[in-house]
Amino acid sequence: MTCQVAIAEEDFYCPICCDIFREPILLPCSHSICNICVKTFWNRKGIQECPICRDVSSNPHPPINIVLRNMCDLMRDDTPVEPLEEILDSCRIHKEPLSFFCAQDQVLLCGKCGNTKAHKNHQVHSAADASQKLRQDLQLKLKGFLDKLREFECCKQSWDETAEFIQRQSHLTETQIRDTFKKLHQFLENEEAARLKVLRLEEEQKSEIIQKKIEEIRSGMFSLSHIIESIEEQLQTNDFTFLKNYKATLDGTKCTPRDQTGPLGMLINVAKHVGNVTFEVSKKLLSNIQYTPVTLDPNSGHPYLVVSDDLTTITYNDEHFQQLPANPERFDGYTSILGSEGYNSGTHIWDVEVGDNSAWAVGVITETAYKRRQSPPKIGMWYVGFSNGKYGKGVSPEMITLLRVSHKIQRIRVQLDWDKGKVTFTDSGHNTGLHVFKHTFTERVFPYFYVHCMQHPLRILPVTALQAQIHSQ
């Protein structure tokens, strides 16, 4: 007796797309799914499992179910074309409205599809309920994306402002460089003109002396020519005449010309004009310029602090807030600023004019403390300051000890000896020691400055080139 297996029409439809199979693949669990449908399902889930029974497949490229594919191709050729509206609104298998939604597979179903084994134990909701919930979920995602978009817009605006600020910075810096070199060029031109003037003067003086010598030689040559002619004439006379005029002729030869050898030093003193000329000009240049041991880093300064063009002076202005980029290097809490160069060896000295300001602090800060962006930093800071009419020393704004100072400090000197681990503070106006901090440094240390509600600019005092050389030794 032959056993015949009845094949239902729904067996030719993919449980995911609910359409006639296209290139159906055969999974290890014996279920067949459209090739494109199962690959999409796997990509979404992140795991190679069967959409029907959840059995995991180890083969990323399952074989094609050739028999089922051929039967589906035949069935597709015999299936009449339905109107597009009917295809979209009703189930291809059961011809019923798609009024349900499978949450796991995220596909629309009819009432009968929800009872099939393909969607067994799945969360199936009415299309209206599923649509409402998914709309709410999507609204939340949309809000998140809109918030993120606003963040990007704010970030882009910040970068646009930074790019514009960089252009202004570059233009201002270029102007300052050109002005500085214009002064250097003018100095060199003046020095060149002065040296050429001295050369021309020496040339004129020595040329005048030589011309006088040449005139004397010409006069002597004329006199000698007359003597020679006289002697030659006498030599041509007879003996009587020769002897008669001999005494007079001999007396005429006594007028001999003077020695025409020139004095010493008549040539141009080349060594004077070009010997070590670069060194001599540089030495003169250094004697006329000043050197500032510490220059300020404007990129680290709080927006209330205005830095001078030569980067040596700070003024406080909280009425006109500067539109500066919010770069990571900038202090945004305490109105502080750093020196432009950090030190990890040697001895470094700088004097600061604090004047009559009511609140200030000067000292040093480690690179780590600065980069922690603590405002104020908790550790890695050594300073002497003035506030509320009292002087103090400390290693952080929360840890301060009063200093006994008998007179008002106008200028303060900071001396960092990195190798010996000392930071020395001195009232340089009265040459009085204030305090010495001792610490073993293991990283770069930057000059630190803090001011608040200033009456006068805080200025780093310049030194001569000779003092700079002494400090650097």
Side-chain angles (χ1 to χ4, degrees), residues 46-264:
I47 185 172
Q48 298 173 183
E49 66 178 13
C50 173
I52 300 174
C53 66
R54 308 301 176 184
D55 187 26
V56 178
S57 173
S58 60
N59 184 6
H61 304 289
I64 299 293
N65 191 334
I66 299 175
V67 175
L68 181 57
R69 182 190 64 181
N70 295 338
M71 294 176 67
C72 289
D73 290 344
L74 292 173
M75 184 177 179
R76 188 180 297 107
D77 293 338
D78 295 337
T79 302
V81 178
E82 301 179 53
L84 181 60
E85 294 79 3
E86 184 179 348
I87 294 174
L88 294 176
D89 295 338
S90 62
C91 176
R92 287 179 173 271
I93 302 174
H94 307 105
K95 310 304 180 183
E96 291 187 5
L98 299 172
S99 55
F100 294 91
F101 185 79
C102 176
Q104 273 82 352
D105 297 332
Q106 297 183 353
V107 293
L108 284 166
L109 307 173
C110 70
K112 293 182 179 180
C113 288
N115 297 323
T116 61
K117 58 182 179 180
H119 300 284
K120 186 180 180 180
N121 297 327
H122 287 189
Q123 293 182 4
V124 178
H125 306 280
S126 68
D129 292 343
S131 177
Q132 182 179 1
K133 182 181 184 304
L134 294 178
R135 284 177 187 275
Q136 292 174 353
D137 294 343
L138 205 56
Q139 285 287 347
L140 290 176
K141 286 190 176 182
L142 177 62
K143 182 179 181 303
F145 284 124
L146 290 174
D147 292 341
K148 194 65 177 178
L149 179 60
R150 282 190 287 270
E151 290 179 11
F152 276 123
E153 289 174 348
C154 292
C155 185
K156 179 181 179 299
Q157 181 180 357
S158 176
W159 282 112
D160 289 340
E161 292 172 355
T162 301
E164 183 179 350
F165 183 80
I166 288 174
Q167 291 181 348
R168 294 199 303 269
Q169 257 190 327
S170 177
H171 178 72
L172 177 60
T173 305
E174 180 181 348
T175 301
Q176 291 175 295
I177 291 174
R178 291 186 183 278
D179 290 343
T180 301
F181 276 89
K182 187 181 294 183
K183 293 177 183 179
L184 290 174
H185 293 159
Q186 188 62 52
F187 170 82
L188 293 175
E189 289 175 3
N190 294 341
E191 187 66 18
E192 178 187 13
R195 286 178 172 270
L196 290 176
K197 183 178 179 180
V198 172
L199 173 62
R200 297 288 177 260
L201 180 61
E202 181 181 358
E203 179 189 7
E204 292 173 2
Q205 292 173 346
K206 292 185 175 180
S207 296
E208 183 178 354
I209 294 174
I210 290 175
Q211 288 300 322
K212 289 181 180 179
K213 287 293 182 181
I214 292 175
E215 291 299 324
E216 291 177 0
I217 292 173
R218 285 176 179 171
S219 176
M221 290 173 62
F222 183 75
S223 299
L224 284 175
S225 297
H226 280 285
I227 293 174
I228 292 171
E229 290 178 1
S230 176
I231 292 174
E232 288 177 345
E233 288 177 358
Q234 291 302 318
L235 291 174
Q236 299 296 324
T237 61
N238 54 35
D239 293 340
F240 178 81
T241 304
F242 174 77
L243 293 174
K244 181 182 178 180
N245 298 329
Y246 177 74
K247 185 176 183 304
T249 302
L250 190 62
D251 291 338
T253 60
K254 293 179 180 180
C255 184
T256 58
R258 293 175 297 175
D259 183 14
Q260 299 303 319
T261 304
L264 295 175

Side-chain angles (χ1 to χ4, degrees), residues 310-326:
D310 61 359
L311 308 180
T312 62
T313 304
I314 315 167
T315 53
Y316 181 93
N317 190 342
D318 59 353
E319 296 180 356
H320 299 88
F321 192 83
Q322 300 180 91
Q323 296 298 323
L324 301 174

Side-chain angles (χ1 to χ4, degrees), residues 343-344 364-366 380 382 416-423 437-445:
Y343 309 114
N344 56 8
V364 296
I365 185 173
T366 63
W382 301 267
L416 168 68
D417 191 333
W418 195 95
D419 299 316
K420 293 183 179 180
K422 293 196 301 183
V423 185
F437 289 101
K438 294 184 178 180
H439 178 80
T440 302
F441 297 111
T442 58
E443 58 180 309
R444 283 204 303 172
V445 176

